[in-house]
Amino acid sequence: GAVVSQHPSRVICKSGTSVKIECRSLDFQATTMFWYRQFPKQSLMLMATSNEGSKATYEQGVEKDKFLINHASLTLSTLTVTSAHPEDSSFYICSARPAGSGDGYTFGSGTRLTVV
Amino acid sequence: AQSVTQLGSHVSVSEGALVLLRCNYSSSVPPYLFWYVQYPNQGLQLLLKYTTGATLVKGINGFEAEFKKSETSFHLTKPSAHMSDAAEYFCAVSDRAGGTSYGKLTFGQGTILTVHP
């Protein structure tokens, strides 16, 4: 079945630094990938839709200059949290949808970001 | 606009008992509906989905859900709970990007299922 690999699974960074999270579709091409954020004991909130070869579409209230998304190939999307602050600490999950997949979306295993 | 409401943030059952996790949705168009399970610090795994056709949908691990349009519900059930079912469960609705293409997912708040021995 379709597999989405997300890396790293955990990262701790200092306040003010930037962190890059990768999302790869391993056995299919994904023209569209989605980035979600999940706070403790809360649901997943869609942050942005990543489109291969074009600009990402951000949800209302999400700072596009803070959360940089790049989808330069059909198998890789990256989310960079710039100038991270403790309030950016969260669980970030990506998903992708294989073309013609009857199962819809496949999710990565998530990245736990802690900003200290 | 679409939304999902999961009734009960926590559900506790005994091993072997019926599991019932409630989900109601709101959608301006015929929806696609999903149930996902999430284990701690992991991504989401699809349990089952409804797109069209049969309203009773069977998924993995013995779970099933019934789409009831008149009640705008998509409750998840399992006849007999197992300890390994303990996890968080999310109901989600998708708009339709066109034809059979899936649009963006909107998730419910999640329900934590606890299974007691």
Side-chain angles (χ1 to χ4, degrees):
Chain A
V3 178
V4 171
S5 174
Q6 193 172 337
H7 179 81
S9 58
R10 293 177 180 269
V11 59
I12 300 173
C13 71
K14 291 185 177 181
S15 189
T17 63
S18 295
V19 174
K20 180 183 286 187
I21 302 170
E22 293 186 347
C23 180
R24 292 181 184 274
S25 56
L26 296 187
D27 48 4
F28 66 97
Q29 294 182 333
T31 56
T32 304
M33 292 186 176
F34 303 89
W35 287 96
Y36 294 86
R37 182 174 182 177
Q38 186 180 29
F39 289 103
K41 302 186 185 303
Q42 294 189 30
S43 188
L44 285 79
M45 299 300 295
L46 180 65
M47 298 175 65
T49 301
S50 172
N51 305 297
E52 188 269 335
S54 64
K55 292 183 178 180
T57 304
Y58 290 82
E59 296 299 302
Q60 191 173 8
V62 177
E63 299 176 63
K64 60 182 180 181
D65 293 332
K66 182 168 187 61
F67 299 99
L68 300 179
I69 291 173
N70 184 277
H71 194 157
S73 78
L74 287 171
T75 60
L76 174 64
S77 176
T78 60
L79 168 68
T80 302
V81 183
T82 63
S83 186
H85 291 282
E87 58 266 28
D88 298 324
S89 298
S90 190
F91 193 58
Y92 294 87
I93 306 176
C94 69
S95 75
R97 186 178 68 224
S101 168
D103 284 344
Y105 306 88
T106 298
F107 284 80
S109 54
T111 297
R112 174 72 60 191
L113 170 63
T114 303
V115 184
V116 297
Chain B
Q2 54 193 19
S3 64
V4 177
T5 301
Q6 290 182 238
L7 302 176
S9 58
H10 289 78
V11 170
S12 180
V13 300
S14 299
E15 190 173 21
L18 171 71
V19 176
L20 171 60
L21 304 182
R22 300 178 186 273
C23 172
N24 289 89
Y25 70 91
S26 172
S27 178
S28 57
V29 298
Y32 289 143
L33 295 161
F34 305 80
W35 274 101
Y36 288 89
V37 61
Q38 185 182 34
Y39 296 96
N41 292 311
Q42 293 187 27
L44 275 68
Q45 180 183 7
L46 179 67
L47 283 177
L48 50 79
K49 69 182 187 298
Y50 168 79
T51 54
T52 58
T55 56
L56 182 61
V57 181
K58 295 186 183 297
I60 63 172
N61 301 338
F63 285 93
E64 62 183 37
E66 186 171 9
F67 169 60
K68 292 186 176 181
K69 183 179 179 180
S70 61
E71 300 177 8
T72 60
S73 69
F74 192 57
H75 302 329
L76 181 71
T77 61
K78 181 174 181 178
S80 177
H82 192 274
M83 296 295 290
S84 61
D85 295 327
E88 188 161 17
Y89 293 79
F90 291 95
C91 181
V93 62
S94 168
D95 59 15
R96 301 188 178 203
T100 58
S101 180
Y102 300 99
K104 296 188 295 185
L105 280 175
T106 299
F107 287 89
Q109 304 91 321
T111 298
I112 296 174
L113 176 65
T114 303
V115 182
H116 296 289

